[in-house]
Amino acid sequence: MTTKQCALLADLELRGLVAQQTGDGGLGGHLNENGRSVYCGFDPTAESLHIGSLVPLLALRRFQLAGHKPIALVGGATGLIGDPSGKSEERNLNTPDIVSGWAEKLKTQISCFIDFDSGDCSAAVVNNLDWVGGYDLLRFLREIGKHFAVNAMIHKESVKQRIEREGAGISYTEFSYMLLQSLDFMELNKRHDCTVQIGGSDQWGNIVEGIELTRRRNHARVYGMTLPLVTKTDGSKFGKTEVGTVWLDAAKTSPYAFYQFWLNSADADAYKFLRYFTFLPVTEIDDIDRSDREQQGRPEAQGVLAGEVTGLVHGQQGLEAARRISKAMFDDRLTDLSESDLEQLKLDGLPSTEIKRDCLQEGALTQLLTEAGMVKAGREVKDALKRNAVLINGEPKSLQDNMNLPSCFDVQKAAYQRFYIVKLGKKKYHLFDVRR
C-alpha cells in the first residue's frame, strides 16, 4: 500500500492532473503516512452530471485505488445557493424539491464510480444539507461568518471577476457560497476525519478558505489540491456538441453519442484526454502517441479513448452497443440494428421524427422529408427520387412512390413495427418512428 500511495501524486502529476496544492508540498507526505479521507463536492444543478465532472469523479477513484477513502459530497444545500465560480451571471434558483430530487439522482450516478465495499477504503456519499440545515442564521453568522474577512473574499478570483464585470455584480446569496463550502470541509473533517479536499482549479479560493476555517474551528491541519479545468485545443468549450451538453446519463446522452464524442476528439486533444479520463498507464499512452506519430493514416488514440471512457461510464454492454451502431452507420447497414440501438439513434444519434401512422394516409414524400428538415425544398427530394437516391429501410424509391406514403412506410417493412431509416443521397439520414 505504501508504494501505491507514494506513486499516486507522481502519477497525477505525470497525467497533468495537478493544478495547485496547499501545504507547502506536504500533501505527498501526508498521503504517504496513512490512508486518508479525501472529498470532492458535486452540486445538483441538473438531473445528471456531465463529462466535465468526470475528471474529479475519476480522481476520487484514483485516490481509492491508492488506499484512501473517497467521500463524494452532493450539495443539497449549496445547490440551493449557486456557485459563482466560472459563471458570468447569477444562476437561477431552483426549488428545494427540484434540488432534492436532483441530489438523489446524482448520488446514484456517483456511486457507479467509487467502491463501497473496500474495507477501510470504502467510499461514502454525503449530503451537506444534513449539517447546513441544522444552522439558524444567527448561529451561522457567529460561528462561521466571524472567520471570514470581506476584504479578502472580494479578492478571490470567483468573486473578483463578477465584481469587475460591468453591469453584472454578484448577489449576497452567491457571495456566501464560499462560507458554505468552507463549512463542508470543517464538518467532514469532524465527522469523517477528512483531511484532503480536491476540486477544479476554479475552486482554489474556496478550498483555501475551507482549510483555514477547519484549522481555526477544529484545530486540524488539512490539505487541498485542484485539478485542471478541461479545455480543447481549438478553444471551443469542452463537453459541448452541436446538440448540446454531453451528459453521463444514458437517457440524456446515449452511449452511441457519448462514444462518438470521444471518437471525434481532435488529434491534439486525444493524448491529453487519455491521461485525464482513463486508467491506462502513462507509459502505455506515451506508446500510443509515439506509434501514431510514426505511422501514416488514422491515429489509434481516439478509438482507444472512446472505448475506455465509454466502458467506464456505460459499462461493457453500453460500449458494445455504441460500437455496433458505429459499425452499422459506417457500413450503411442500419436495418441490422436492434430496437434498443434504434432507440439510441432516436435519442441523439440521428435527426428523428415521431409521427402517427394515420398521418401517412395522404400527402407526398417530398413534403414529409422537407418538413422533417432533410431538405430545404421538395424539388431536392424529386431529383433524388429520379436517381433512385432515396432509400427507406434500404429499399430505393422512385418518383412514382412520391404520392404513396402508405406504401413507402408499409408496416410490414418497418423495423420492429415502427422504425424507418430514410437515406437521401450519400450522407443524409433521418429516422422516423411511426406509431399507431
Side-chain angles (χ1 to χ4, degrees), residues 274 279-290 304 308:
L274 279 168
F279 289 90
L280 294 176
V282 174
T283 53
E284 186 174 333
I285 297 169
D286 289 341
D287 288 342
I288 295 171
D289 188 356
R290 188 180 307 106
V304 176
E308 290 290 325

Side-chain angles (χ1 to χ4, degrees), residues 396-410:
K397 300 298 174 183
S398 68
L399 196 56
Q400 293 178 337
D401 298 306
N402 184 43
M403 299 303 295
N404 195 348
L405 288 181
S407 176
C408 289
F409 292 88
D410 186 345

Side-chain angles (χ1 to χ4, degrees), residues 325-382:
I325 297 171
S326 298
K327 187 176 188 305
M329 294 283 285
F330 183 80
D331 294 339
D332 200 17
R333 295 182 60 86
L334 299 180
T335 52
D336 292 346
L337 297 174
S338 70
E339 187 170 10
S340 62
D341 292 341
L342 290 166
E343 289 282 8
Q344 284 196 45
L345 284 174
K346 179 185 173 184
L347 173 64
D348 52 13
L350 285 178
S352 63
T353 298
E354 194 169 296
I355 190 170
K356 295 286 188 182
R357 187 163 292 280
D358 290 346
C359 298
L360 297 175
Q361 294 307 307
E362 56 185 34
L365 190 59
T366 50
Q367 180 183 359
L368 180 68
L369 301 190
T370 302
E371 291 177 349
M374 287 195 78
V375 294
K376 293 182 179 179
R379 66 176 179 275
E380 296 179 58
V381 181
K382 283 187 176 181

Side-chain angles (χ1 to χ4, degrees), residues 119-285:
D120 292 340
C121 300
S122 296
V125 177
V126 298
N127 188 330
N128 59 11
L129 189 60
D130 291 344
W131 52 83
V132 175
Y135 279 84
D136 59 38
L137 177 61
L138 290 177
R139 181 188 169 205
F140 182 78
L141 291 174
R142 287 175 61 86
E143 295 184 8
I144 306 302
K146 186 69 174 175
H147 296 287
F148 291 81
V150 171
N151 56 342
M153 290 176 67
I154 62 177
H155 286 95
K156 297 297 183 184
E157 197 63 27
S158 60
V159 175
K160 185 179 178 182
Q161 288 183 356
R162 287 278 289 276
I163 291 176
E164 292 178 348
R165 187 174 288 108
E166 185 176 351
I170 184 170
S171 70
Y172 180 77
T173 299
E174 290 197 4
F175 185 64
S176 67
Y177 186 94
M178 184 182 296
L179 279 69
L180 295 181
Q181 184 170 330
S182 299
L183 172 61
D184 289 342
F185 204 175
M186 183 196 86
E187 286 290 338
L188 288 174
N189 175 254
K190 184 165 56 178
R191 295 166 181 244
H192 295 275
D193 192 27
C194 179
T195 56
V196 181
Q197 179 182 177
I198 62 173
S201 57
D202 58 343
Q203 298 297 310
W204 177 251
N206 295 343
I207 291 174
V208 169
E209 290 298 327
I211 289 172
E212 182 62 17
L213 179 66
T214 304
R215 182 189 67 79
R216 291 184 177 186
R217 295 282 298 172
N218 296 356
H219 307 291
R221 184 169 188 184
V222 293
Y223 299 82
M225 187 191 88
T226 62
L227 307 156
L229 297 180
V230 185
T231 57
K232 293 170 76 172
T233 303
D234 64 5
S236 60
K237 191 169 184 180
F238 174 76
K240 292 283 187 178
T241 67
E242 291 181 2
V243 295
T245 302
V246 181
W247 302 96
L248 301 189
D249 186 345
K252 292 174 72 67
T253 298
S254 71
Y256 164 74
F258 188 88
Y259 180 83
Q260 287 295 316
F261 172 82
W262 301 102
L263 199 62
N264 292 322
S265 297
D267 292 350
D269 291 326
Y271 310 100
K272 177 176 74 172
F273 291 171
L274 279 168
R275 288 175 170 80
Y276 282 9
F277 296 104
T278 79
F279 289 90
L280 294 176
V282 174
T283 53
E284 186 174 333
I285 297 169

